[in-house]
Amino acid sequence: GIWLFLASEIMLFGGLFSAYILLRTGAPVWPPIGEHGSIAHLLTETIPHATFNTVILILSSVTMVMAWVSLKMKDLSKFRLYLGTTIVCALIFLVVKYFEYSHKIHEGFVPSHDTYMALYFTLTGLHGLHIIGGIIVLAYFFGPGIKMWGTEPERFTNRIEIIGLYWHFVDLVWIFLFPILYL
């Protein structure tokens, strides 16, 4: 089931990436110059934030793997440490993204500003929703879902592996978003 779900997510983001490519190749100037001016200076300001967020998400992928490995080694305390770190990384990502969004909106760069900003908010917003969904599932397995470890440790480990696949997908999407939107 997870592979079908991930395939549908690949199609969703694939369609959005395709729209981005078509709109970018068809635009005489990219990013476009909108009514309030060019986004180029704002992009330069936000590259450090996006780079930091990239490092945070890569770190969260590593800690997700370590959480799963800890379960394979039957070390629940290390699992909680690594899964908790993954959740904290995801929350840090969202906080940084919130400040980035706030700055852009304050400067007048909203989705209606131009095609680039519409694509930017659509792609990063959808990615952010996937991060939030991942946090909810990770928090469940960190909290009440951990009871399954006591009765069905193998099944619990398999579920962590599945959410890990989803989490790596979300991180991989960001690895593609970062260069096309910021660099």
Side-chain angles (χ1 to χ4, degrees):
I2 187 66
W3 293 111
L4 289 175
F5 173 71
L6 290 177
S8 72
E9 293 294 299
I10 289 168
M11 288 186 286
L12 171 65
F13 278 101
L16 290 170
F17 280 119
S18 297
Y20 175 88
I21 290 166
L22 289 171
L23 290 168
R24 181 175 182 162
T25 57
V29 177
W30 195 263
I33 297 172
E35 184 180 310
H36 297 96
S38 174
I39 188 74
H41 79 281
L42 196 60
L43 286 176
T44 305
E45 293 175 5
T46 58
I47 287 174
H49 300 111
T51 303
F52 176 76
N53 264 350
T54 302
V55 171
I56 287 295
L57 280 186
I58 291 170
L59 175 63
S60 77
S61 267
V62 171
T63 58
M64 188 70 226
V65 170
M66 296 304 294
W68 176 74
V69 168
S70 297
L71 288 178
K72 290 299 235 180
M73 297 172 60
K74 307 212 182 309
D75 190 341
L76 193 61
S77 63
K78 279 190 180 177
F79 162 76
R80 289 183 66 99
L81 171 71
Y82 288 123
L83 192 67
T85 304
T86 304
I87 294 168
V88 168
C89 286
L91 292 170
I92 290 169
F93 177 91
L94 290 176
V95 167
V96 171
K97 186 55 67 185
Y98 166 79
F99 285 112
E100 187 181 328
Y101 274 12
S102 297
H103 180 65
K104 283 181 170 70
I105 291 168
H106 176 73
E107 294 287 323
F109 293 99
V110 294
S112 62
H113 182 267
D114 56 40
T115 305
Y116 173 83
M117 291 311 299
L119 286 166
Y120 169 83
F121 279 105
T122 300
L123 287 165
T124 59
L126 186 60
H127 180 262
L129 288 174
H130 282 76
I131 295 276
I132 291 168
I135 290 171
I136 291 167
V137 174
L138 292 171
Y140 171 77
F141 285 115
F142 186 82
I146 205 164
K147 288 187 261 179
M148 186 187 295
W149 175 258
T151 57
E152 300 177 88
E154 190 64 35
R155 187 173 178 203
F156 182 75
T157 302
N158 288 341
R159 289 191 176 186
I160 296 303
E161 183 177 15
I162 288 169
I163 185 60
L165 291 171
Y166 170 80
W167 195 252
H168 297 314
F169 167 77
V170 170
D171 291 351
L172 184 63
V173 167
W174 181 256
I175 296 298
F176 283 98
L177 286 176
F178 174 64
I180 70 165
L181 295 176
Y182 292 93
L183 302 179

